[in-house]
Amino acid sequence: MQAKTTDIAFFDIEVNVNSKQIESLGVVIDDFYDVTTSVGEVISHFKAYNPKFICGHNFIEHDRLYLSKTSFNPIFRDVRIIDTLYLSMLLYPNKKLTN
C-alpha cells in the first residue's frame, strides 16, 4: 500500500537561541502549507488531516524536544516519526556531523 500525501505531515520549527522558545512552525500536509507562531493553529490543521507520520530533519533531537513541551505533546502518542537526519546519514555515510 502506497502512502498518501495526507499520511505525512512535514514539520520544521525555528527556536530562539537565547529564550529557547519556538519562534515559528512550518507545516506541510497534502495541499496545506503554513508558517505560524501558533501551536494551536498547527494542532487544528493536524487534526483535520490526521496524518500517520511526522517528517522532519533532526526532528527527534530538536523539533520534538520543543514541541513536547507544548499542547502538541499528546499527538506524539498517535504518530510515527520519520527523521531525515538519519536518512541523510545513510545517503552520505562519509559526511561528518557537526555540533
Side-chain angles (χ1 to χ4, degrees):
M1 177 182 222
Q2 186 176 8
K4 299 176 298 195
T5 55
T6 54
D7 286 345
I8 304 173
F10 298 91
F11 269 82
D12 187 34
I13 68 169
E14 299 301 325
V15 175
N16 183 291
V17 293
N18 296 318
S19 70
K20 305 295 185 203
Q21 299 295 311
I22 297 173
E23 288 191 338
S24 67
L25 301 100
V27 62
V28 176
I29 309 172
D30 195 30
D31 60 350
F32 172 78
Y33 168 82
D34 194 20
V35 177
T36 182
T37 58
S38 170
V39 173
E41 186 177 322
V42 170
I43 291 170
S44 175
H45 292 295
F46 196 91
K47 287 181 177 180
Y49 284 90
N50 196 30
K52 313 249 183 314
F53 299 92
I54 293 176
C55 182
H57 192 76
N58 198 21
F59 190 90
I60 294 170
E61 296 294 325
H62 182 261
D63 300 40
R64 182 178 182 167
L65 174 75
Y66 290 97
L67 285 170
S68 67
K69 297 175 186 174
T70 71
S71 55
F72 194 87
N73 188 48
I75 291 173
F76 289 124
R77 288 189 306 252
D78 301 321
V79 297
R80 295 201 161 189
I81 296 172
I82 301 167
D83 192 327
T84 60
L85 175 65
Y86 300 107
L87 296 175
S88 67
M89 287 186 229
L90 293 172
L91 292 171
Y92 306 101
N94 296 323
K95 185 174 181 180
K96 301 269 190 240
L97 293 176
T98 58
N99 293 338

